[in-house]
């Protein structure tokens, strides 16, 4: 089977590696540096398991920047391009998806197009009408940062949305599911076929539920810290209930990363005239959590002794230096985009406080106007308060300076 994956990122690359075990797979990307790395059997993203798989001789995987040539004889074209949330449009920016479909229609109208990028509910059906095409299906991905290939090899479900009345497309959807199962190590994977809008809804509602859990335990932590209570004792007592369990219960500075912030906002936008309060509350809770955390950090640094709001003009100033330890969203991740600590950092800087950063992934001298330290010891000495969304043993010697809500020392 000849397969092309458009997008050499956290969705496209692990999927391509999975499929390249048994098929001829090409990845298309506009960034030549990433393409060259992959062709040298090096991973352009941080995932140890992917790096190991890329060294396997039987992996039929190459990369190119020439989309037209790659698409020409493909049987499946899988779109895994970014769809960032555009606050002005109040919707995902799906232009990268349309660009891929445009090229595919020019050179290969018989290929089955599989959208893996996250889209608004109803988008696939709209795209089918816009391009007068009935060969487009939607299959959401469910990946965790830092273990994307593992989640492809051991999927907890495969969901494919297609036009139920189109027998050709139903057969193509079943064949695609078989391709995913063939590459997976787990063989008893539940597979669900449904309409495209239903599959799109599964993705957004699943991630919004995860955001809800993060927000719920963060609000428990906010209450406990405000009242001088032990948040871990409370959470432990709650999560021993088997109906609740231990997942997504470690407090943080808020949910962030590639998916949860944009997916919750997109789902909220999809409601429009539909009655709701919960989805709005999840988005708002995440904002309030970051403001609370920023205030607590400044209190720890002796910056002020009063509760402040975004409209406060009479905030006392001092020489407190706040050090941000790592900008990444999770441990063993290279994702900085939409990291929750960025929202906290922004709020601290708005107070006029000096902020410095320790982030070994960055080669720049500054980030958002804050000096980047490459030497951890110097960073520790200069910081009056060290902010860590996730604690590290590297901070053991200065733990009295550290502000974190990482109660369980895990993501």
């Amino acid at each position: 089977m000849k397969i092309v994956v458009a997008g050499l990122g956290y969705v496209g690359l692990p999927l391509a590696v999975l499929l390249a075990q048994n098929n001829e797979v090409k990845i298309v990307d506009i960034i030549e540096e990433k393409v060259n790395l992959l062709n040298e059997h090096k991973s352009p993203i941080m995932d140890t398991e992917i790096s190991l798989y890329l060294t396997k001789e039987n992996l039929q995987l190459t990369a190119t920047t020439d989309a037209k040539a790659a698409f020409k004889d493909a049987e499946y074209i899988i779109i895994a391009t970014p769809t960032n949330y555009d606050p002005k449009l109040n919707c995902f920016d799906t232009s990268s998806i349309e660009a891929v479909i445009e090229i595919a229609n020019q050179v290969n109208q018989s290929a089955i197009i599989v959208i893996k990028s996250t889209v608004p509910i109803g988008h696939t059906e709209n795209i089918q009408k816009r391009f007068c095409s009935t060969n487009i299906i939607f299959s959401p991905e469910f990946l965790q940062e830092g273990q994307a290939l593992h989640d492809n090899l051991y999927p907890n479900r495969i969901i494919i949305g297609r036009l139920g009345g189109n027998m050709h497309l139903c057969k193509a959807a079943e064949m695609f599911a078989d391709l995913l199962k063939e590459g997976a190590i787990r063989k008893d994977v539940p597979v669900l076929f449904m309409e495209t809008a239903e599959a799109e809804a599964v993705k957004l509602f699943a991630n919004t539920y995860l955001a809800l859990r993060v927000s719920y335990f963060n609000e428990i932590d906010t209450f406990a810290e405000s009242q001088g209570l032990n948040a871990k004792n409370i959470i432990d007592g709650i999560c021993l209930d088997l109906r609740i369990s231990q997942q997504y219960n470690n407090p943080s500075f808020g949910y962030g990363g590639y998916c949860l912030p944009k997916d919750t906002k997109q789902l909220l936008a999809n409601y429009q005239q539909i009655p709701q309060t919960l989805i709005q509350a999840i988005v708002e809770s995440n904002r309030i959590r970051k403001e609370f955390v920023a205030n607590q950090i400044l209190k720890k640094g002796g910056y002020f002794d009063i509760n402040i709001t975004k409209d406060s003009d009479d905030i006392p100033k001092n020489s407190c230096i706040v050090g941000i330890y790592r900008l990444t969203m999770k441990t063993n991740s290279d994702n900085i985009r939409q990291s929750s600590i960025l929202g906290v950092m922004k709020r601290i800087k708005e107070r006029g406080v000096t902020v410095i950063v320790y982030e070994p992934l960055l080669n720049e001298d500054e980030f958002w106007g804050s000096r980047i330290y490459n030497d951890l010891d110097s960073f520790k000495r200069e910081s009056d308060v060290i902010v860590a969304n996730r604690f590290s043993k590297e901070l053991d010697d200065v733990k009295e300076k550290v502000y974190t809500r990482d109660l369980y020392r895990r993501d």
Side-chain angles (χ1 to χ4, degrees):
M1 185 76 70
K2 292 185 177 181
I3 301 170
V4 176
V5 177
L8 211 173
Y10 280 92
V11 176
L13 179 54
L15 179 61
V17 170
L18 174 87
L19 294 170
Q21 296 174 100
N22 303 291
N23 305 277
E24 182 183 331
V25 179
K26 291 182 181 179
I27 299 186
V28 175
D29 201 278
I30 60 175
I31 302 176
E32 190 169 354
E33 182 182 0
K34 294 169 69 174
V35 167
N36 292 338
L37 279 172
L38 188 66
N39 286 331
E40 295 170 3
H41 309 290
K42 298 176 183 177
S43 175
I45 66 174
M46 186 179 289
D47 191 306
T48 303
E49 202 162 6
I50 287 178
S51 297
L52 292 174
Y53 266 73
L54 289 177
T55 63
K56 292 187 175 184
E57 293 183 2
N58 65 331
L59 207 66
Q60 305 172 68
L61 180 62
T62 57
T64 180
T65 57
D66 190 344
K68 286 186 176 181
F71 291 170
K72 196 170 183 180
D73 59 351
E75 295 168 81
Y76 281 87
I77 297 173
I78 303 171
I79 302 177
T81 56
T83 52
N84 298 324
Y85 185 81
D86 188 331
K88 293 181 180 179
L89 297 175
N90 198 28
C91 187
F92 286 144
D93 178 0
T94 59
S95 58
S96 64
I97 296 176
E98 281 93 77
V100 173
I101 297 175
E102 191 83 48
I103 296 171
N105 278 354
Q106 292 173 14
V107 298
N108 185 355
Q109 294 186 10
S110 64
I112 298 298
I113 295 174
V114 182
I115 298 176
K116 273 285 183 181
S117 306
T118 308
V119 297
I121 299 171
H123 184 74
T124 304
E125 185 176 349
N126 292 335
I127 284 290
Q128 290 168 337
K129 293 176 181 177
R130 175 180 165 184
F131 288 94
C132 300
S133 173
T134 56
N135 64 343
I136 303 173
I137 63 179
F138 175 78
S139 177
E141 51 81 17
F142 304 98
L143 308 176
Q144 301 174 77
E145 286 185 32
Q147 59 176 60
L149 180 56
H150 179 275
D151 290 342
N152 273 280
L153 295 171
Y154 298 91
N156 50 37
R157 78 275 210 196
I158 293 171
I159 292 177
I160 300 181
R162 77 288 182 264
L163 286 173
N166 185 312
M167 297 308 297
H168 169 68
L169 210 54
C170 287
K171 185 176 180 180
E174 290 173 4
M175 187 176 294
F176 183 67
D178 289 339
L179 290 172
L180 296 178
K181 289 197 295 181
E182 182 184 28
I185 294 174
R186 179 186 175 187
K187 298 304 180 184
D188 59 335
V189 187
V191 180
L192 297 179
F193 297 97
M194 57 188 71
E195 295 298 319
T196 55
E198 293 166 349
E200 292 160 350
V202 168
K203 171 66 174 180
L204 295 186
F205 275 101
N207 275 348
T208 300
Y209 176 75
L210 296 179
L212 168 64
R213 278 196 66 109
V214 172
S215 299
Y216 181 78
F217 286 103
N218 280 342
E219 291 209 0
I220 291 174
D221 184 63
T222 294
F223 180 86
E225 192 174 8
S226 299
Q227 299 297 314
L229 305 176
N230 187 313
K232 187 174 184 298
N233 286 343
I234 299 171
I235 293 172
D236 285 344
I238 292 170
C239 291
L240 285 174
D241 188 323
L242 297 179
R243 296 168 298 178
I244 298 175
S245 78
Q246 302 287 338
Q247 301 298 313
Y248 276 74
N249 66 349
N250 190 24
S252 65
F253 295 162
Y255 61 78
Y258 287 116
C259 295
L260 300 193
K262 68 186 185 79
D263 289 5
T264 51
K265 291 176 182 176
Q266 178 60 66
L267 182 59
L268 180 60
N270 265 110
Y271 265 85
Q272 294 182 350
Q273 303 303 316
I274 301 171
Q276 62 80 31
T277 57
L278 183 59
I279 311 302
Q280 176 70 56
I282 294 168
V283 175
E284 181 68 5
S285 173
N286 204 44
R287 181 189 67 79
I288 292 172
R289 173 64 171 178
K290 292 173 185 176
E291 292 189 2
F292 173 80
V293 167
N295 292 350
Q296 295 299 105
I297 291 165
L298 294 175
K299 285 181 180 179
K300 182 176 177 66
Y303 185 72
F304 58 83
D305 296 315
I306 58 171
N307 289 322
I308 62 174
T309 67
K310 294 175 69 176
D311 299 324
S312 297
D313 295 321
D314 56 345
I315 304 168
K317 304 287 190 297
N318 65 14
S319 59
C320 169
I321 297 178
V322 173
I324 304 295
Y325 174 80
R326 305 303 307 270
L327 298 173
T328 51
M329 184 58 214
K330 290 188 175 184
T331 308
N332 299 321
S333 169
D334 59 357
N335 172 31
I336 293 175
R337 187 178 68 182
Q338 293 296 318
S339 174
S340 59
I341 203 167
L342 296 181
V344 173
M345 178 181 173
K346 176 184 177 182
R347 286 163 171 80
I348 292 172
K349 287 177 69 68
E350 285 175 348
R351 272 63 165 183
V353 175
T354 300
V355 175
I356 61 176
V357 176
Y358 174 73
E359 180 47 76
L361 291 176
L362 297 179
N363 296 319
E364 295 85 359
D365 294 327
E366 289 188 349
F367 180 83
W368 285 3
S370 293
R371 180 181 172 187
I372 296 176
Y373 281 64
N374 295 318
D375 182 70
L376 182 57
D377 290 333
S378 298
F379 169 80
K380 291 175 182 177
R381 284 194 304 270
E382 291 294 323
S383 302
D384 295 309
V385 179
I386 296 175
V387 181
N389 186 45
R390 288 296 177 243
F391 192 81
S392 168
K393 290 182 178 179
E394 291 184 326
L395 302 176
D396 277 341
D397 59 327
V398 289
K399 59 185 178 182
E400 72 283 349
K401 286 186 176 184
V402 176
Y403 180 87
T404 184
R405 300 311 301 160
D406 182 6
L407 305 182
Y408 294 94
R409 300 297 187 260
R410 58 169 168 78
D411 288 319

